[in-house]
């Protein structure tokens, strides 16, 4: 696999799209790992009620907002993206929790 140009090196939309596609592939790899932690959480948590942890969700969203701001991105935009990611992670974990105990 060839490495895409960095954003500041792109001169054509073909190069931009190649970079976006590469980042998307990398994000999928990271999300596979993240969801692996949801598998572990589903295996470890003793009660189904423990799957949804609003305090932890708030902590994750706050962490992301701080990291986004430090990186020069809009915290609210990334908070919205992560809110959906966390909600999908919770739904996934509920499914895994139920399957573990079926």
């Amino acid at each position: 696999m060839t490495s895409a140009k960095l954003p500041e090196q792109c001169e054509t939309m073909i190069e931009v799209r190649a970079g976006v596609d590469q980042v998307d592939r990398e994000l999928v790899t990271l999300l596979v790992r993240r969801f692996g932690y949801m598998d572990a959480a589903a295996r470890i948590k003793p009660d189904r009620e423990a799957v949804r942890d609003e305090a932890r969700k708030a902590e994750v969203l706050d962490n992301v907002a701080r990291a986004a701001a430090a990186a020069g991105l809009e915290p609210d935009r990334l908070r919205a993206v992560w809110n959906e990611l966390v909600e999908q992670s919770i739904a996934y974990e509920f499914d895994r929790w139920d399957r573990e105990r079926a």
Side-chain angles (χ1 to χ4, degrees):
M1 172 172 71
T2 59
S3 181
K5 289 184 175 185
L6 295 174
E8 60 275 8
Q9 298 170 331
C10 292
E11 296 178 2
T12 68
M13 284 308 299
I14 290 172
E15 293 169 342
V16 168
R17 290 176 180 148
V20 168
D21 291 346
Q22 181 176 327
V23 169
D24 286 348
R25 287 188 299 274
E26 293 169 7
L27 286 170
V28 168
T29 298
L30 289 171
L31 289 170
V32 166
R33 187 165 136 206
R34 189 183 200 286
F35 276 75
Y37 287 110
M38 299 306 96
D39 290 336
R43 177 176 41 81
I44 293 167
K45 289 180 181 176
D47 301 310
R48 193 174 195 276
E49 295 76 31
V51 171
R52 178 169 285 281
D53 183 343
E54 290 298 329
R56 174 62 179 150
K57 178 182 173 182
E59 179 183 10
V60 169
L61 296 180
D62 289 345
N63 290 342
V64 165
R66 275 192 301 279
L73 297 173
E74 297 176 41
D76 290 341
R77 190 173 305 276
L78 255 34
R79 183 184 287 274
V81 170
W82 251 260
N83 185 67
E84 182 62 26
L85 174 59
V86 170
E87 285 300 320
Q88 290 300 322
S89 297
I90 291 167
Y92 176 87
E93 189 180 330
F94 271 123
D95 289 344
R96 297 300 294 179
W97 196 95
D98 290 343
R99 276 191 238 148
E100 285 273 331
R101 285 145 185 90

